[in-house]
Amino acid sequence: ILSKQIYNSPYAMVRENLQNAYDAVLMRAKREGKPVSEFFIDISASPQRVEIRDNGIGMSEAVLRENFWRAGSSGKNNPEARAAGVIGTFGIGAMANFGVCDRLQVDSREVGAPKGLRTAARKSELTIGADCISMEVLDAGIDEGTRLIAEIATNTPLDINSLRDYIIPFVRFLQVPIKLNGTSLSG
């Protein structure tokens, strides 16, 4: 019920996950003393699927378990994140995606970590009080950063042109390269 109120359209869901990717890039750029233009955020979208990739700071197992997959807990409410200029600090979490998603998968490798992680959940299998999130270790072949894959519910398909028009006002002046299906939206 809560997730449906937060992300009542797939466009809002994409925007919020794009914000998470941007915050991850800001934190990595600040940590490494590099301009954000050296990083990227790529969005691949079809009517029933969205993939958002970034080469930001990535997430450790602890961040995935305690922040991303848990509503009400933010890993960006700290001095390092504030110094980087992040925006998202409320900790709404991954569960809000299930207002429009049937399945959510997140592959992430924290900067400097030898391996990455794949976490996933299906809306139909979510149960209060049960561990409904699968987690597996991925070998060192996974890039640093995060890849989120959202399978959109059949009753809320994305119109790609409408998605582009919705996202552009939020990203057009950002210096990090943001692409939607290979077309630049930012800069």
Side-chain angles (χ1 to χ4, degrees):
I1 293 169
L2 177 63
S3 65
K4 190 66 172 174
Q5 297 303 313
I6 295 171
Y7 301 155
N8 58 0
S9 83
Y11 308 109
M13 181 272 303
V14 171
R15 181 195 67 229
E16 292 298 319
N17 285 296
L18 179 58
Q19 178 64 58
N20 284 340
Y22 181 66
D23 285 347
V25 165
L26 286 177
M27 290 179 69
R28 184 170 182 185
K30 177 72 172 175
R31 185 182 293 173
E32 296 180 2
K34 295 179 179 176
V36 295
S37 59
E38 291 187 22
F39 298 90
F40 70 84
I41 300 170
D42 287 336
I43 306 163
S44 299
S46 67
Q48 298 303 145
R49 186 176 187 274
V50 173
E51 179 178 325
I52 301 172
R53 289 184 337 121
D54 69 70
N55 62 343
I57 60 170
M59 292 182 276
S60 66
E61 180 176 349
V63 169
L64 283 162
R65 286 187 191 277
E66 297 166 18
N67 301 125
F68 185 79
W69 287 103
R70 182 178 294 165
S73 175
S74 176
K76 297 184 280 183
N77 200 358
N78 58 55
E80 179 188 15
R82 282 188 289 279
V86 303
I87 296 170
T89 59
F90 293 110
I92 294 170
M95 294 305 168
N97 289 286
F98 291 106
V100 295
C101 294
D102 287 333
R103 182 178 184 276
L104 187 67
Q105 175 181 312
V106 177
D107 299 348
S108 193
R109 179 173 159 217
E110 186 178 28
V111 171
K115 297 184 179 193
L117 297 162
R118 170 169 291 154
T119 58
R122 291 188 179 280
K123 182 178 182 176
S124 62
E125 297 171 1
L126 296 177
T127 305
I128 294 175
D131 187 7
C132 308
I133 314 304
S134 69
M135 183 174 289
E136 67 179 285
V137 176
L138 301 174
D139 68 20
I142 181 175
D143 293 333
E144 293 176 328
T146 300
R147 179 177 76 143
L148 176 138
I149 301 170
E151 294 177 13
I152 307 299
T154 55
N155 62 338
T156 55
L158 277 169
D159 175 271
I160 306 309
N161 290 328
S162 296
L163 176 63
R164 184 194 68 241
D165 293 344
Y166 179 85
I167 291 173
I168 286 175
F170 296 104
V171 303
R172 68 176 165 216
F173 298 117
L174 300 179
Q175 294 304 303
V176 62
I178 299 173
K179 293 182 180 177
L180 171 62
N181 291 340
T183 302
S184 181
L185 303 179
S186 65

